[in-house]
Amino acid sequence: MNKNYKPETVCIQAGWEPKKGEPRVLPIYQSTTFKYENSDQMGRLFDLEDAGYFYTRLQNPTNDAVAAKITALEGGIAGMLTSSGQAANFYAVFNICEAGDHFVCSNSLYGGTFNLFGTTMKKQGISCTFVNPDASDEEIEAAFQPNTKALFAETISNPSLVVLDIERFANIAHRHGVPLIIDNTFATPINCRPFEWGADIVTHSTTKYMDGHAMSVGGAIIDSGNFDWMAHKEKFPGLTEPDESYHGIIYAQKFGKMAYIQKATAQLMRDLGSIQSPQNSFLLNVGLETLHLRVPRHCENAMKVAEFLESNEKVAWVNYAGLSNNKYHKLAEKYMPNGTCGVISFGLKGGRDVSVKFMDKLELAAIVTHVADARTCVLHPASHTHRQMTDEQLLEAGVAPDLIRFSVGIENAADIIADLKQALSAV
């Protein structure tokens, strides 16, 4: 694959490179197992001496082709698919953390990830300190401990739409000898490539814009290959010391820049098995082929909707970084000059009750738990995705009780605005 190809070409061409007589379109390798001629061939795979496939719980050719496409889009060195975005974020952190370790995370975070990091992983002995992404360097760095192994954040937070200062966060992480892990789901590599600003590892819920049609759940982890694990050997024993479950292999020595993804595949996927199904990977690849066409339309429509909402007398506030008066507008111009995403948050005068009544009046926009696909949809996070959080936690995460998350689709913008108008007139 030519590394100079533009994103539009990468969306179409990367990942699957058929040889003579092979299918032009990526096939679905719908098989749990793969045949070899003799025992030695299979043994070399289990010793990580040869590359190849032996069981789909670890790797599958369809998945690997799609992971390679996302890796090329992000400008990374290696990637893997997971069964969901939640699994991707869990694996990304768990690959370098174990019981007794700690990591720092932005508190402007999707509710499910907040619960995963703050509750579930805590039960595994991995602690997390949440920080305000807008806090000063000194405040954020005060959260670091001797056992801190990573700094985590979202490019554009869901649903508070905080735009992260990626370069600043990367510098903070690197001053403490840990990688910066970025969830780039909302921006997608079409609008932002965090590796270019110093991030080390990127995750995605491929369920969102990448799939684009609300058909297949999945996740992805992409490694830049830039973090030097051996330079911080004592912090990352899982990568820099022998893995007795694989005959004493030292991933960072044997695989070099590929070590992080190799370990996540050979160890975590082997033991936990959160693989994306080949069928879902196939559907994801179909979505990726139009990602470069859909994302600009999402952004164009969202800008029109944001401007309409801002001018409506029943709307109390609008949060969309594309608006020139938004507090994150300058950061968005720096990191995402071509647009941010198609998601807007806003609140109505009258508070939470009025916001909920308004949502029930929408006709074109559907109330769903999903976000970021071709169809316009809406959600009240305090009642739905963030329901498990206290009011205090909601406010810390930038989720106001009246916040409406409005995911603008790729329908005609005038029709979306007309639906908003009729719903607003009814409350």
Side-chain angles (χ1 to χ4, degrees):
M1 182 71 186
N2 189 326
K3 291 185 178 180
N4 295 321
Y5 283 151
K6 304 299 183 188
E8 296 86 346
T9 305
V10 174
C11 281
I12 301 295
Q13 296 284 350
W16 175 245
E17 299 181 18
K19 301 177 179 64
K20 181 180 178 180
E22 291 185 334
R24 182 68 183 88
V25 175
L26 173 67
I28 305 170
Y29 285 83
Q30 195 65 46
S31 179
T32 61
T33 48
F34 303 85
K35 178 182 178 293
Y36 290 88
E37 297 300 326
N38 56 61
S39 177
D40 182 62
Q41 290 175 344
M42 181 70 79
R44 290 181 64 81
L45 292 174
F46 277 93
D47 285 343
L48 303 182
E49 293 297 330
D50 286 348
Y53 303 96
F54 50 91
Y55 201 55
T56 284
R57 191 181 77 234
L58 282 87
Q59 286 179 281
N60 177 281
T62 306
N63 291 16
D64 281 0
V66 181
K69 177 175 286 188
I70 299 173
T71 299
L73 283 168
E74 285 287 7
I77 192 171
M80 66 185 292
L81 298 187
T82 61
S83 58
S84 67
Q86 280 286 85
N89 285 339
F90 172 59
Y91 276 30
V93 175
F94 195 55
N95 201 34
I96 52 176
C97 286
E98 56 187 48
D101 286 342
H102 169 264
F103 66 104
V104 179
C105 182
S106 165
N107 64 9
S108 294
L109 201 64
Y110 166 60
T113 311
F114 186 95
N115 197 63
L116 168 66
F117 290 169
T119 302
T120 303
M121 292 188 73
K122 185 178 180 181
K123 294 175 183 177
Q124 297 175 315
I126 300 170
S127 60
C128 176
T129 300
F130 294 100
V131 297
N132 186 331
D134 295 333
S136 67
D137 287 14
E138 292 74 19
E139 289 176 283
I140 294 170
E141 293 192 54
F144 281 75
Q145 302 171 13
N147 60 340
T148 299
K149 301 299 175 71
L151 177 59
F152 187 102
E154 295 176 351
T155 313
I156 305 170
S157 63
N158 174 15
S160 54
L161 303 181
V162 171
V163 176
L164 187 75
D165 191 340
I166 303 171
E167 194 169 31
R168 183 170 78 95
F169 262 57
N171 289 335
I172 291 171
H174 296 159
R175 281 199 294 271
H176 291 267
V178 303
L180 173 62
I181 305 174
I182 295 283
D183 184 331
N184 197 33
T185 296
F186 269 17
T188 83
I190 299 301
N191 281 346
C192 183
R193 303 215 308 176
F195 294 154
E196 295 176 354
W197 300 101
D200 301 289
I201 297 155
V202 160
T203 65
H204 285 277
S205 170
T206 62
T207 317
K208 309 304 189 298
Y209 288 120
M210 284 188 168
D211 169 79
H213 301 87
M215 290 192 296
S216 61
V217 174
I221 307 171
I222 311 298
D223 182 19
S224 67
N226 292 332
F227 192 83
D228 189 344
W229 305 105
M230 292 303 290
H232 308 281
K233 185 176 180 180
E234 72 289 344
K235 276 185 174 289
F236 306 102
L239 285 158
T240 63
E241 294 182 8
D243 178 0
E244 297 307 327
S245 71
Y246 267 118
H247 316 293
I249 194 172
I250 298 176
Y251 295 99
Q253 285 185 355
K254 185 171 181 63
F255 299 107
K257 289 180 176 292
M258 307 288 284
Y260 178 86
I261 292 296
Q262 285 285 350
K263 177 180 178 294
T265 301
Q267 189 186 84
L268 299 189
M269 198 61 82
R270 175 198 64 189
D271 295 343
L272 301 173
S274 299
I275 195 76
Q276 188 166 155
S277 75
Q279 177 73 57
N280 279 5
S281 299
F282 176 84
L283 293 171
L284 169 58
N285 189 58
V286 174
L288 286 168
E289 289 184 351
T290 61
L291 183 67
H292 64 288
L293 300 174
R294 292 182 286 104
V295 167
R297 179 60 177 262
H298 280 290
C299 294
E300 177 188 339
N301 280 359
M303 191 65 195
K304 292 176 181 177
V305 169
E307 290 171 343
F308 161 74
L309 290 170
E310 193 175 42
S311 66
N312 190 282
E313 61 180 13
K314 293 188 176 182
V315 177
W317 57 271
V318 181
N319 182 19
Y320 187 65
L323 297 170
S324 59
N325 61 354
N326 185 272
K327 68 181 291 187
Y328 298 107
H329 184 69
K330 287 186 177 180
L331 280 177
E333 284 189 321
K334 174 180 177 178
Y335 295 115
M336 292 158 264
N338 296 322
T340 55
C341 66
V343 182
I344 297 169
S345 62
F346 65 97
L348 301 181
K349 293 175 182 176
R352 179 171 183 161
D353 291 342
V354 173
S355 293
V356 171
K357 289 176 183 177
F358 156 79
M359 285 172 35
D360 290 344
K361 297 294 183 181
L362 290 165
E363 296 173 357
L364 183 150
I367 300 174
V368 299
T369 54
H370 198 239
V371 67
D373 70 60
R375 303 163 188 81
T376 296
C377 56
V378 66
L379 187 79
H380 183 241
S383 299
H384 305 135
T385 55
H386 290 58
R387 193 180 185 92
Q388 76 278 10
M389 296 170 67
T390 65
D391 285 347
E392 184 178 272
Q393 288 174 328
L394 284 170
L395 292 172
E396 285 179 1
V399 181
D402 64 339
L403 185 150
I404 296 168
R405 185 183 72 182
F406 197 76
S407 180
V408 182
I410 56 175
E411 306 95 343
N412 186 284
D415 290 335
I416 300 170
I417 291 171
D419 189 37
L420 287 166
K421 279 183 180 178
Q422 67 81 22
L424 286 167
S425 67
V427 298

